[in-house]
Structure formats: C-alpha cells, structure tokens
Amino acid sequence: KVSRLIKRRTVANDVSDMGRVLVNGTPAKPAKQLKENDVITIEYANRNVTVRVLKVPTGNVSVQEAPTLYEVVE
C-alpha cells in the first residue's frame, strides 16, 4: 500500500489472499516482509504488473516519493 501499486490496504490484503500477488514467483501472504531486489507480480483483472523493489521504507511515504520505491519490469 505504501508504494501505491494497490490503492487501499484492504484491497491489497484481499488480492494477496486470492493468490494474485507473487513475490519472487511464489504466492505471498499479506504480512510478507519484502527486501530490496524482490520481484513482485500483481495479477489485476485485465493485466499483470511486475516490479522490482528498490527501497523498503520504514514509515509513511509521500505521493511524490512512492514511485522511487520500485522500478517497473513489465
């Protein structure tokens, strides 16, 4: 949610519970701790987004800073 790839925490939890969030190719639970260089794939209804984690923030992140947390792979 901090990265704003999924807008709401509850939606992110639901998507993860459905098995539509993969971290390094394996389904991830909502409480999965991410590390730098992890690859996240999110399966939306009509497309997939794959990103690589560049930074893991420790607190809240501004809207302007959120895109610097990851790079889009595909």
Side-chain angles (χ1 to χ4, degrees):
K1 187 217 182 278
V2 172
S3 68
R4 292 173 169 74
L5 288 168
I6 297 178
K7 302 300 181 201
R8 289 186 210 95
R9 187 177 305 273
T10 56
V11 174
N13 286 339
D14 292 343
V15 171
S16 181
D17 286 338
M18 288 187 279
R20 296 171 64 187
V21 176
L22 306 175
V23 176
N24 298 324
T26 59
K29 299 278 186 185
K32 171 78 174 161
Q33 293 296 312
L34 297 175
K35 302 180 298 283
E36 290 180 7
N37 293 318
D38 279 347
V39 176
I40 304 168
T41 301
I42 302 171
E43 298 173 359
Y44 293 102
N46 57 353
R47 65 186 169 101
N48 291 347
V49 173
T50 303
V51 299
R52 180 180 322 281
V53 177
L54 299 177
K55 289 191 290 187
V56 179
T58 56
N60 291 332
V61 175
S62 69
V63 172
Q64 294 81 16
E65 188 181 354
T68 66
L69 300 176
Y70 60 89
E71 68 177 343
V72 177
V73 176
E74 55 177 281

